[in-house]
């Protein structure tokens, strides 16, 4: 059985030439410093802070509603400096999350309501459970599950998680389709998550 499509209104999203679907209700500060590799979905209420430093976002990345991606910074004796932020391919970031990591690897799943503090590094094939708060400079190893506040390792993932996360992100992109004149929008609560 195929998963249900997730419908959106065509006039609420801008589709780029490389297949990115960016909500008109999202905020892209410093858009000249935001690189989207393609087939990514930026949902309503998302704030991308490219005005602070370079933001590199890989392909098939889904950024949930009301999430904030802000490059990390470091304080020095005479001031502070922002550093570039990189998000790998096939990454899912849940709704209402605040991310200020230095690096998010590929095939990563970040749950809803997470806070990823400055300069964190999340390696490939990791999972961050919903509601997790990662302290500054936390390094999440590959194939690990982090949860709690402060976030700590609570489990491990199988090596096959890469294929699962890749398929999850790609299928979500494929199911995210514009609402046609003949299809009726499902009522709230009936949409497939």
């Amino acid at each position: 059985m195929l998963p249900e499509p997730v419908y959106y209104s065509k006039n609420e999203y801008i589709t780029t030439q490389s297949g990115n679907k960016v909500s008109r209700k999202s905020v892209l500060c410093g858009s000249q410093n935001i690189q989207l590799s393609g087939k990514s979905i930026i949902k309503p209420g998302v704030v991308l802070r490219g005005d602070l430093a370079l933001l590199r976002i890989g392909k098939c990345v889904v950024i949930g509603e009301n999430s904030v991606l802000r490059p990390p910074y470091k304080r020095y004796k005479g001031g502070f400096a922002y550093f570039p932020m990189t998000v790998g391919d096939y990454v899912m970031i849940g709704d209402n999350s605040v991310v200020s990591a230095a690096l998010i690897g590929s095939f990563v799943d970040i749950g809803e309501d997470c806070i990823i503090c400055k300069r964190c590094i999340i390696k490939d094939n990791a999972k961050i459970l919903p509601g997790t708060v990662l302290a500054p400079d936390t390094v999440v190893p590959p194939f690990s599950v982090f949860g709690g506040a402060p976030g700590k390792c609570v489990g491990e993932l199988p090596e096959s998680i890469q294929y699962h996360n890749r398929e999850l992100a790609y299928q979500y992109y494929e199911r995210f389709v514009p609402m046609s004149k003949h299809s009726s929008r499902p009522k709230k609560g009936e949409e497939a998550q």
Side-chain angles (χ1 to χ4, degrees), residues 127 134 138-148 150-156:
K127 181 178 181 79
L134 290 183
T138 300
V139 177
V140 177
F143 303 105
S144 61
V145 179
F146 268 57
K152 60 183 180 199
C153 187
V154 295
E156 293 182 358

Side-chain angles (χ1 to χ4, degrees), residues 125 143 156-162:
N125 306 304
F143 303 105
E156 293 182 358
L157 296 168
E159 290 184 21
S160 62
I161 196 66
Q162 174 178 341

Side-chain angles (χ1 to χ4, degrees), residues 9 48 74 86 101 166 175 181:
S9 176
L48 300 180
K74 184 166 178 90
T86 302
R166 180 182 189 156
R175 291 186 303 130
K181 293 177 184 176

Side-chain angles (χ1 to χ4, degrees), residues 71-101:
Y73 67 91
K74 184 166 178 90
R75 291 182 199 253
Y76 295 104
K77 194 173 187 179
F80 64 93
Y82 285 95
F83 299 100
M85 177 180 185
T86 302
V87 178
D89 300 334
Y90 304 100
V91 173
M92 302 276 286
I93 299 175
D95 297 347
N96 305 311
S97 293
V98 178
V99 180
S100 190

